[in-house]
């Protein structure tokens, strides 16, 4: 995968705010009630946040692919709709509407970087940047070099994006106050930490991720295939571990760690298997990857929350490009959980 085909040239739309607890649900509920919710004069009252935070919540809702812009005079003023993925997970009767499962945060991290990605600085940092230990300035320069001839973003926008990304993920970020520290869920993923060797530097944590559920990894692998190579029913673990934009890069897993998680997932799910062909490990599945991925995700939440919480009123597809289609609540082929 390449940045120019995976990412939109969007920079610094977060208004300097990283995503907070409850913002994803807030975005879904606001748009479900009113497609024009983020453009209303009373949006700050309805959402209970400041004007800049209204724009930030909209940006993060679109970036996590739980809502999608539909139409309008400009990207910033367009109306929005809830996606199939957003309704299935964060709707009123969704699988994990308040992100109580840590697996949901891992899922959102994957969806943030899955194509089409609305945060190219995040995509470059996680999937193309090869440094393990780095400073903010080094990462900023990498992004400047990498986006030259593509989007040519203002260096100040890149600086804001890098700063926001580090505040979003880095545990123990020295510039973050206590209120932000307890209000940033993605630090629980332990993907970035301040360096223990170089003052002011940071370090990506590569390898095993004890809190990453095997089912979420398997979903991401098949969702990746559904987006870039629909129709395939096998893929090597090496590709999933090393290709830019693939789950191994996004989750910062070594190939051995990814293989271990996929073997655990295969032991849990009948829909996938891990085999060796000429000594090369690969995952095998039957059917379109988006459909298989959806079943894996449904199984994950069924096991986590119980059968009663994960039954459906109709056909459901939350993976791949179909998962980003806008749905109308309580109408037609609705991916809504029913009690």
């Amino acid at each position: 995968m390449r940045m120019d085909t995976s990412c939109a040239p969007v920079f610094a739309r977060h208004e300097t705010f990283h995503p907070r607890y409850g913002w994803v649900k807030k975005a879904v509920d606001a748009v479900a009630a009113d497609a024009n919710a983020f453009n209303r004069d009373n949006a700050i009252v309805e959402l209970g946040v400041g004007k800049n935070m209204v724009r930030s919540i909209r940006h993060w809702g679109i970036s996590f692919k739980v809502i999608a812009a539909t139409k309008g005079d400009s990207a910033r003023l367009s109306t929005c709709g809830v996606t199939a993925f957003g309704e299935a997970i964060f709707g009123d009767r969704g699988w994990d509407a308040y992100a109580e499962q840590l697996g949901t945060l891992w899922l959102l991290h994957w969806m943030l970087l899955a194509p089409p990605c609305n945060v190219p600085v995040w995509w470059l940092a996680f999937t193309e940047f090869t440094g393990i230990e780095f400073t903010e300035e080094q990462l900023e320069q990498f992004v400047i070099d990498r986006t030259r001839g593509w989007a040519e973003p203002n260096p100040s926008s890149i600086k804001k994006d890098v700063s926001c990304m580090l505040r979003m993920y880095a545990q123990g970020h020295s510039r973050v106050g206590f209120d932000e520290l307890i209000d940033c869920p993605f630090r629980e993923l332990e993907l970035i930490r301040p360096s223990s060797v170089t003052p002011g530097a940071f370090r990506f944590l590569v390898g095993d991720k004890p809190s990453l559920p095997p089912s979420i990894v398997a979903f991401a692998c098949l969702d990746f295939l559904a987006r870039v190579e629909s129709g395939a029913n096998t893929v090597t673990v090496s590709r999933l571990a090393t290709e830019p934009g693939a789950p191994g890069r996004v989750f910062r897993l070594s190939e051995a760690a990814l293989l271990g998680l996929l073997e655990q997932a295969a032991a849990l799910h009948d829909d996938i298997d891990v085999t060796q062909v000429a000594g090369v490990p690969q995952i095998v599945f039957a059917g379109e990857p988006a459909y298989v991925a959806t079943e894996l995700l449904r199984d994950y939440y069924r096991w986590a929350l119980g059968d009663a919480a994960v039954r459906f009123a109709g056909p459901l597809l939350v993976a791949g490009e179909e998962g980003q289609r806008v749905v109308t609540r309580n109408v037609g082929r609705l991916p809504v959980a029913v009690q």
Side-chain angles (χ1 to χ4, degrees), residues 241-259:
T242 60
E243 183 173 318
R249 292 287 191 95
V250 170
F251 295 135
R252 285 281 166 161
L253 294 165
S254 64
E255 186 170 340
L258 177 60
L259 175 59

Side-chain angles (χ1 to χ4, degrees), residues 82-154:
V82 180
T83 65
F85 170 74
E87 183 65 32
I89 308 296
F90 297 99
D92 285 340
R93 294 172 294 170
W95 293 339
D96 191 17
Y98 297 96
E100 295 173 290
Q101 301 295 318
L102 190 55
T104 301
L105 293 181
W106 282 108
L107 178 61
L108 285 172
H109 173 68
W110 165 252
M111 296 300 284
L112 180 66
L113 273 66
C117 175
N118 210 37
V119 284
V121 169
W122 277 247
W123 194 91
L124 287 170
F126 276 97
T127 76
E128 284 201 4
F129 185 66
T130 57
I132 299 299
E133 191 158 298
F134 60 96
T135 64
E136 287 190 51
E137 292 74 19
Q138 288 171 333
L139 186 52
E140 289 166 14
Q141 188 59 53
F142 173 80
V143 174
I144 289 172
D145 293 341
R146 204 47 200 84
T147 54
R148 189 172 288 120
W150 177 59
E152 301 286 356
N154 191 301

Side-chain angles (χ1 to χ4, degrees), residues 52-65:
N52 288 355
M53 279 192 175
V54 169
R55 291 195 289 264
S56 185
I57 291 172
R58 181 185 184 277
H59 164 76
W60 288 117
I62 292 173
S63 297
F64 286 124
K65 301 177 178 62

Side-chain angles (χ1 to χ4, degrees), residues 18 20-21 167-168 170-188:
H18 59 256
R20 311 294 178 89
Y21 280 108
R167 284 184 285 111
M168 178 175 171
Q171 291 200 356
H173 193 296
S174 60
R175 301 181 190 177
V176 176
F178 178 74
D179 289 343
E180 284 193 318
L181 183 63
I182 63 174
D183 201 28
C184 190
F186 292 90
R187 293 204 187 130
E188 292 187 60

Side-chain angles (χ1 to χ4, degrees), residues 22-39:
W23 275 17
V24 175
K25 174 65 171 168
K26 193 181 287 282
V28 169
D29 286 350
V31 169
D34 179 4
N36 208 34
F38 290 107
N39 299 326

Side-chain angles (χ1 to χ4, degrees), residues 1-2 5-6 110 113-116 123 220-232 235 239-240 243-247 289 320-321:
M1 293 176 62
R2 304 193 316 269
T5 58
S6 301
W110 165 252
L113 273 66
W123 194 91
C221 289
L222 295 180
D223 183 53
F224 169 73
L225 283 181
R227 294 172 189 276
V228 303
E229 195 179 327
S230 184
V235 60
R239 178 186 177 191
L240 294 171
E243 183 173 318
E321 293 181 1

